[in-house]
Amino acid sequence: MLDLMTGNAAAAKAAMLARVEVIAAYPITPQTSISEKLAEMVANGEMNAKYIKVESEHSAMAALIGASYIGARTFTATSSQGLALMHEMLFWAAGARRPVVMPVVSRALGPPWNIWTDHMDVMGERDTGWMQLFCENNQETLDLILIAYRVAEDKEIMLPAMIIEDGFILSHTFEKVDVPAIEEIDFYLHPFNPDVKVNFRKPRRYGSLVMPDWAMEFRYNNALAMEKAKKKWVEAGIAFKKAFGRDYSSLVELYRCEDADVALIISGSAAGTAKVAADRMRERGRKVGVAKLRTFRPFPTEELLRLGESVRTIGVFDRSYTFAQGGAIYGEVRNALYPLASDVKVKGYIGGLGGRDITEAEFEKMFEDLLAIARSGSMTKDVEWVALKDGSWRWF
Amino acid sequence: MPRLTVPKEELVSKGHSGCAGCGATLLARMCLKALGPKTVINSPACCWSVVQGVWPRAALKVPVIDNAFECTGAVSSGIRAALDAKGIEDVTVVGWAGDGGTVDIGLQALSGAIDRRTDFIYIMYDNEAYMNTGIQCSGCTPLYAWTNTTPGGKNQEWKQVSKKPIMEMLIPNGIAYGATVSIAYPEDLVAKVKKAKSIRGTKFIHALSSCPPGWKIPSSKSVEVARLATQTGIFPLYEYENGAYVLSKDVKTKPVEEYLMSQGRFKHLTPAMIAEVQRRVDEDYAALKAKCKGAGASG
Amino acid sequence: METYRDLPQSTYSLQTTESVRTGTWRTFRPIIDTKKCTRCYTCWKFCPDVSIELREEGDYPKVDYDHCKGCGICANECPTVAITMVREDSIC
Amino acid sequence: MIEIRFHGRGGQGAVVASELLARAAVMNRLHAAAFPFFGVERRGAPVTAFCRIDLKPIRTHSEIYFPDYVVVLDPDLVSMTNVLQGLKPDGALLINSAKESCDLQHVKWGKVATVDATSIALKYGLGSENAPIVNTAIIGAFSKICPQVPLESVIESIMKASPGDKRANAEAAKEAFETVKGVW
């Protein structure tokens, strides 16, 4: 049924719909209201989960790994500094193949101390072995958490997943969200019943000390699972469309790219703004498109190559910076498109750091910039900081 | 007729990789005799992570979940919550960690678990330094002791302060039961671990666990030196429950010198240093006795 | 176990450590003199390596030389000094 | 380039042996590198350590698979691990053993030298009765069978860097040098 709710409320609702059994959460702006909503639902009996009030995010993830080894479906949520504190345990959950699902309400990492959104926190965790998906709106936050459990707990995958909603811009923004009935979700998402869990009749040591002779092969199996997850996300997306009508059957959602001269690759809430800007440009006869990269891990290399076959000038908008060559997504997109390097131009745009608002006007400027590159065939700068106070960008 | 004074069942396998004479392996063997097979242990990085052996082998005959260094308290809460969520009862959840993993890096998670009144037994095997990484000073390293990070040297840089009073720190935090145990008194140990099993809430067991390489003693003296620790009052055996302290064995009969001089890590102690250790031990022992009344678990 | 395909999905143990012959670690081995032994089982109780075997209460303790590391605790703790530590005769 | 592999147990000083040998080679104006197999050192558990000695600087950073010499600090390891693994056809094996090299049932090899390093270590009070430290005796014997590392360099290395009683360790190395027997 349709309801008006914030992104955080949608995340908490998804946990309830997924019949989560163990929650361990620690407050941090802007994630906190997820923890509060969960505590309220548990207290009112709306959720029949055990809620562990841990004393740190590090302990939150540790507790859930323990709980998952017993066979319980687990859930937590965090942001920024909390996610960074969890870093050690993120590797642990992935290596232990424990399918924890965690919404991350993305927020800048200090200093400078900043409670607003950017993707520096989540990009810092891209090598931990977690699946990472970005949400454009609160509906996606709810839907992707449910799909995430189905993929994460798939016996061939058994990898944890991060569902990323932008701090404040989504977490504290009320939007219409269609909330499926829990019985419908029970049909889509079966109870968690892992093969690998504590069994008193066959006592085992979980974790173990693996020497150089086999450690690499265990890590290779992790890598294979992440590769296999691409197909699993598409299958689970198709099944979700059949059950609830909303289409998540692609890792990259192409918006008006079929005949586009240029396209902008973008993740998160700003994708919506970029789509509106693209529509405006289309009204003025400019053929531009938006490629919303929903699934960052596993990285959709194949879908991006197909995009590069049709669109020869591609921009990548990052709300992160890697202190190397541009933003995180930009680097990985150029890497993926390397086979098409001679025909495709890829430009990186960095913006929206520390909660800086990104407007439709700025996206139109980026599209104009990309169109100029497409026409001239030359690119003066590979990476540009958008709306940086350097005197060049005028605010209208 | 000869009879066994501790349960016969063995839940530790032969062939584990403990050093010859390791106190912590004997301790695990005794604790598991009291805990029994329906036990799930979680353990951080510590000697026991290596003692259990290399994959695909494992030395304990109960389920063990490895965790990161800081997490024993938190993982224990997670395991108990999941067992409750799944309606699985009659399982003893045990957090099994070393001294550094408890009083230093793991203190926050332990304090959190106690504050949450998680129902589990936390057993700290105290070999009084970070032994797995090669004998570095920890919060439980005793006054004046040598370790590789308190090597003495020209500036007399031995351990400058006494052991962290972990029991006194955790009692006000809210443990339901606390006890000190030693590998030299296995019957007392088994009785206390069984008692801890019967109590709900967080139970803390502080176990003295001698370490031949770390204490610089012959491996054959592992039990004897642990016994001396209690006989000199350095490691008294007692229990705490609901505000009441109970002295398990009032056997403080020997001077601390006998304990100190039995170990290479103390052989540099001067008479003045020994006297200071004796003074502190007498003071602490008297304070403990003042708090103690009544009979304990082992009667 | 030849390739990554043979591995379990995650790192959990598959067997105990019983097959590891830690007996080869020792330099000295304990010899129990059953004439002096009163079967008080102190040696069995204090063995860190579970290497003193007792099938039934009442049996004499027997050393499992495949696993005994020769730490010497049993000899040190035996109340009737029935156990002596003898240097391992080197096989080569 | 000559490559040496040490087999020992935690607490016997195998890793220190490789270090002292490398230092001795450097004192003999050669280049050397020493490294343990990075694993789980437990008192008594099997440990391997490696040493490379060459005229020119050593740049390889990987394990040694085809040693020119294998040095076994603990005789029991001969029956437990394949100490001969990868030993070059004309390579030499040095074993700490009280027995003559000819009646070693387990060892079918041409060049085998033996020295009773354990008795020497116990004689000079090196390590404990339960875990004698045999490393300095062994490298003393090794200098007899390996021309690149003369006894003087081994003694110099011991006096500079050997843990414990340097004089006693040097004496142990000398005695092992004199008493090593067999073919090399």
Side-chain angles (χ1 to χ4, degrees):
Chain A
M1 48 87 182
L2 272 175
D3 193 359
L4 189 73
M5 61 178 68
T6 64
N8 279 359
K13 185 72 78 178
M16 184 270 290
L17 292 172
R19 296 189 191 281
V20 162
E21 292 165 295
V22 175
I23 300 159
Y26 190 80
I28 181 167
T29 302
Q31 166 271 104
T32 310
S33 56
I34 297 179
S35 311
E36 287 168 346
K37 195 76 181 93
L38 292 170
E40 186 194 316
M41 284 194 281
V42 169
N44 295 336
E46 280 173 73
M47 280 185 80
N48 160 23
K50 298 295 171 191
Y51 187 104
I52 309 174
K53 287 181 281 303
V54 284
E55 76 298 334
S56 84
E57 289 90 350
H58 191 283
S59 285
M61 191 49 66
L64 294 187
I65 291 167
S68 183
Y69 267 123
I70 298 296
R73 176 170 288 164
T74 55
F75 180 90
T76 186
T78 192
S79 302
S80 175
Q81 317 297 147
L83 184 63
L85 177 58
M86 260 183 196
H87 184 71
E88 178 189 20
M89 301 319 290
L90 296 180
F91 278 99
W92 202 287
R97 307 296 290 273
R98 295 292 93 194
V100 180
V101 171
M102 167 169 70
V104 174
V105 188
S106 62
R107 162 187 153 185
L109 278 166
W113 199 253
N114 183 295
I115 59 166
W116 297 275
T117 190
D118 68 32
H119 294 160
M120 293 292 276
D121 57 354
V122 289
M123 289 308 172
E125 309 306 337
R126 57 182 166 161
D127 301 332
T128 55
W130 277 61
M131 297 188 279
Q132 293 180 309
L133 284 86
F134 286 87
C135 306
E136 178 187 336
N137 51 46
N138 298 350
Q139 184 68 62
E140 286 199 348
T141 298
L142 185 132
D143 295 346
L144 286 178
I145 288 173
L146 297 168
I147 301 171
Y149 274 114
R150 180 165 163 146
V151 176
E153 292 170 1
D154 184 302
K155 295 231 190 296
E156 290 179 76
I157 305 300
M158 287 294 278
L159 285 175
M162 250 181 241
I163 303 306
I164 299 150
E165 55 156 344
D166 290 346
F168 289 108
I169 297 174
L170 289 185
S171 63
H172 286 65
T173 298
F174 284 86
E175 288 181 349
K176 271 169 61 178
V177 174
D178 174 23
V179 180
I182 196 162
E183 296 72 22
E184 289 176 300
I185 295 296
D186 289 343
F187 186 73
Y188 176 76
L189 179 59
H190 300 145
F192 180 40
N193 183 18
D195 297 338
V196 179
K197 66 179 180 186
V198 164
N199 172 352
F200 290 97
R201 281 184 307 286
K202 281 208 289 310
R204 296 185 192 283
R205 176 186 183 183
Y206 299 92
S208 287
L209 170 66
V210 179
M211 303 284 280
D213 54 359
W214 281 109
M216 205 161 125
E217 281 68 25
F218 274 111
R219 190 63 69 216
Y220 185 71
N221 281 332
N222 270 61
L224 287 186
M226 186 64 89
E227 271 309 304
K228 231 176 267 174
K230 292 179 186 175
K231 192 162 52 58
K232 296 287 182 176
W233 277 101
V234 169
E235 286 165 7
I238 292 166
F240 194 90
K241 184 173 194 304
K242 248 195 232 96
F244 306 104
R246 290 185 291 278
D247 183 358
Y248 293 95
S249 57
S250 67
L251 308 181
V252 179
E253 180 207 294
L254 300 179
Y255 181 79
R256 310 188 76 164
C257 292
E258 311 70 33
D259 62 343
D261 299 327
V262 304
L264 184 68
I265 294 176
I266 184 165
S267 293
S269 58
T273 317
K275 286 179 186 173
V276 171
D279 289 347
R280 265 226 204 93
M281 300 286 283
R282 283 278 179 171
E283 283 150 21
R284 298 205 299 271
R286 304 281 206 283
K287 289 195 291 177
V288 303
V290 171
K292 184 178 77 182
L293 190 132
R294 180 182 301 125
T295 311
F296 180 66
R297 286 290 187 274
F299 192 73
T301 306
E302 297 75 15
E303 291 190 24
L304 290 172
L305 278 170
R306 278 199 298 280
L307 174 70
E309 246 101 44
S310 64
V311 182
R312 297 310 209 181
T313 305
I314 292 177
V316 183
F317 180 77
D318 264 294
R319 284 195 109 122
S320 70
Y321 179 64
T322 60
F323 295 94
Q325 184 68 356
I329 302 176
Y330 166 73
E332 301 211 6
V333 165
R334 258 195 9 170
N335 179 14
L337 295 182
Y338 182 75
L340 309 175
S342 52
D343 330 314
V344 178
K345 290 235 169 324
V346 182
K347 176 163 184 178
Y349 298 97
I350 292 170
L353 301 188
R356 172 68 55 81
D357 191 31
I358 287 293
T359 65
E360 288 154 24
E362 272 143 22
F363 279 116
E364 283 175 40
K365 284 196 184 105
M366 283 180 246
F367 281 128
E368 291 297 352
D369 186 35
L370 287 167
L371 287 166
I373 294 167
R375 278 194 301 277
S376 66
S378 77
M379 199 162 57
T380 49
K381 281 170 87 175
D382 281 347
V383 174
E384 226 175 303
W385 288 56
V386 172
L388 180 71
K389 290 188 170 67
D390 66 355
S392 68
W393 280 80
R394 275 289 149 277
W395 189 264
F396 299 115
Chain B
M1 232 313 270
R3 59 165 184 70
L4 299 181
T5 56
V6 290
K8 189 170 188 311
E9 185 186 30
E10 302 292 357
L11 290 175
V12 174
S13 297
K14 305 165 183 253
H16 61 65
S17 323
C19 298
C22 169
T25 45
L26 179 53
L27 179 72
R29 190 175 157 232
M30 284 305 131
C31 288
L32 279 165
K33 284 175 183 295
L35 290 165
K38 284 300 282 287
T39 301
V40 51
I41 290 180
N42 77 88
S43 184
C46 58
C47 273
W48 254 96
S49 328
V50 175
V51 167
Q52 288 183 67
V54 169
W55 185 85
R57 283 183 283 277
L60 297 188
K61 295 179 181 169
V62 292
V64 173
I65 294 172
D66 285 316
N67 56 49
F69 216 170
E70 316 87 315
C71 311
T72 305
V75 174
S76 303
S77 296
I79 293 170
R80 178 55 75 195
L83 290 169
D84 293 347
K86 293 288 187 186
I88 302 170
E89 271 126 17
D90 67 44
V91 167
T92 308
V93 177
V94 170
W96 176 267
D99 47 290
T102 304
V103 305
D104 299 333
I105 192 166
L107 186 59
Q108 174 186 303
L110 174 54
S111 176
I114 295 169
D115 191 49
R116 294 187 287 272
R117 301 297 188 264
T118 294
D119 180 22
F120 80 117
I121 305 175
Y122 191 108
I123 301 176
M124 174 178 88
Y125 65 94
D126 182 4
N127 47 33
E128 300 195 322
Y130 287 98
M131 294 307 182
N132 186 42
T133 42
I135 322 165
Q136 292 81 28
C137 179
S138 82
C140 274
T141 300
L143 183 64
Y144 300 145
W146 166 91
T147 69
N148 279 316
T149 47
T150 55
K154 207 155 46 51
N155 306 329
Q156 302 290 307
E157 290 289 346
W158 317 111
K159 175 81 182 305
Q160 299 304 318
V161 293
S162 300
K163 282 169 84 80
K164 279 189 183 179
I166 185 68
M167 191 66 85
E168 294 316 300
M169 292 161 67
L170 299 183
I171 286 172
N173 195 164
I175 53 175
Y177 174 76
T180 59
V181 300
S182 163
I183 56 170
Y185 300 89
E187 293 74 12
D188 174 72
L189 180 154
V190 167
K192 287 171 178 171
V193 172
K194 278 192 171 147
K195 180 170 179 184
K197 255 181 85 170
S198 68
I199 297 168
R200 283 192 63 79
T202 307
K203 287 79 65 174
F204 181 74
I205 307 276
H206 179 176
L208 189 65
S209 166
S210 43
C211 173
W215 295 11
K216 292 191 182 306
I217 57 173
S219 51
S220 58
K221 297 291 182 189
S222 210
V223 172
E224 183 180 316
V225 168
R227 185 174 301 116
L228 268 174
T230 298
Q231 291 172 333
T232 55
I234 281 187
F235 190 80
L237 296 179
Y238 64 89
E239 294 170 277
Y240 165 83
E241 190 181 5
N242 299 334
Y245 287 78
V246 176
L247 195 62
S248 320
K249 289 197 180 316
D250 193 353
V251 289
K252 179 174 187 289
T253 55
K254 296 184 176 174
V256 295
E257 180 162 19
E258 199 174 321
Y259 173 73
L260 298 172
M261 285 309 116
S262 71
Q263 301 165 62
R265 60 174 175 159
F266 291 121
K267 73 175 182 333
H268 57 278
L269 263 66
T270 61
M273 292 159 93
I274 293 172
E276 173 58 11
V277 172
Q278 186 68 63
R279 187 189 65 74
R280 292 189 189 199
V281 166
D282 293 345
E283 197 178 86
D284 294 345
Y285 198 79
L288 174 65
K289 281 195 75 174
K291 289 189 279 193
C292 287
K293 346 183 213 354
S298 49
Chain C
M1 205 76 77
E2 286 303 321
T3 75
Y4 65 87
R5 294 180 201 82
D6 312 323
L7 293 176
Q9 184 179 66
S10 63
T11 52
Y12 53 83
S13 61
L14 305 173
Q15 62 192 94
T16 71
T17 52
E18 207 124 336
S19 59
V20 180
R21 280 180 59 248
T22 49
T24 59
W25 291 23
R26 60 172 176 268
T27 319
F28 288 80
R29 64 168 47 204
I31 308 287
I32 300 178
D33 174 355
T34 48
K35 288 194 296 307
K36 290 189 189 158
C37 168
T38 62
R39 292 172 295 170
C40 69
Y41 303 131
T42 298
C43 55
W44 168 80
K45 186 168 66 173
F46 284 130
C47 175
D49 291 303
V50 204
S51 294
I52 292 192
E53 290 178 334
L54 273 184
R55 261 168 311 288
E56 292 309 323
E57 271 185 69
D59 282 1
Y60 277 96
K62 192 166 117 8
V63 179
D64 162 7
Y65 289 113
D66 277 343
H67 292 98
C68 160
K69 291 179 186 149
C71 69
I73 287 178
C74 52
N76 192 72
E77 296 303 318
C78 174
T80 61
V81 197
I83 304 174
T84 46
M85 298 302 289
V86 170
R87 185 152 177 245
E88 199 66 32
D89 46 19
S90 176
I91 52 141
C92 82
Chain D
M1 158 92 87
I2 60 163
E3 295 180 314
I4 305 121
R5 183 175 66 218
F6 292 83
H7 291 275
R9 289 188 187 290
Q12 283 176 339
V15 176
V16 171
S18 67
E19 181 210 333
L20 291 175
L21 186 63
R23 198 180 293 279
V26 166
M27 287 175 175
N28 193 27
R29 286 182 306 287
L30 295 168
H31 292 274
F35 52 96
F37 171 74
F38 308 113
V40 170
E41 287 85 26
R42 271 288 168 279
R43 181 181 289 194
V47 166
T48 43
F50 305 92
C51 182
R52 284 193 170 94
I53 298 173
D54 201 352
L55 293 166
K56 38 191 181 1
I58 289 157
R59 292 166 298 171
T60 306
H61 290 110
S62 87
E63 285 182 34
I64 289 173
Y65 297 98
F66 305 105
D68 301 279
Y69 298 91
V70 167
V71 178
V72 180
L73 276 74
D74 182 326
D76 284 341
L77 289 173
V78 172
S79 60
M80 243 182 66
T81 50
N82 178 4
V83 294
L84 294 173
Q85 173 119 33
L87 183 57
K88 289 198 174 75
D90 61 347
L93 179 63
L94 169 62
I95 303 180
N96 165 22
S97 165
K99 291 193 166 64
E100 287 285 327
S101 56
C102 50
D103 57 22
L104 298 173
Q105 316 92 322
H106 288 267
V107 182
K108 309 278 181 303
W109 195 255
K111 297 184 186 169
V112 177
T114 61
V115 64
D116 189 354
T118 298
S119 303
I120 295 172
L122 292 173
K123 176 177 165 189
Y124 289 94
L126 303 176
S128 67
E129 202 185 79
N130 208 334
I133 306 287
V134 296
N135 52 15
T136 43
I138 272 288
I139 60 171
F142 184 78
S143 62
K144 185 74 162 288
I145 68 172
C146 172
Q148 282 86 350
V149 187
L151 181 62
E152 303 72 37
S153 307
V154 166
I155 300 301
E156 209 181 329
S157 164
I158 289 172
M159 293 312 290
K160 185 165 188 316
S162 164
D165 179 341
K166 296 188 184 343
R167 173 92 4 245
N169 275 295
E171 288 312 313
K174 283 197 196 99
E175 181 161 335
F177 182 86
E178 268 101 37
T179 56
V180 61
K181 297 183 288 298
V183 176
W184 50 80

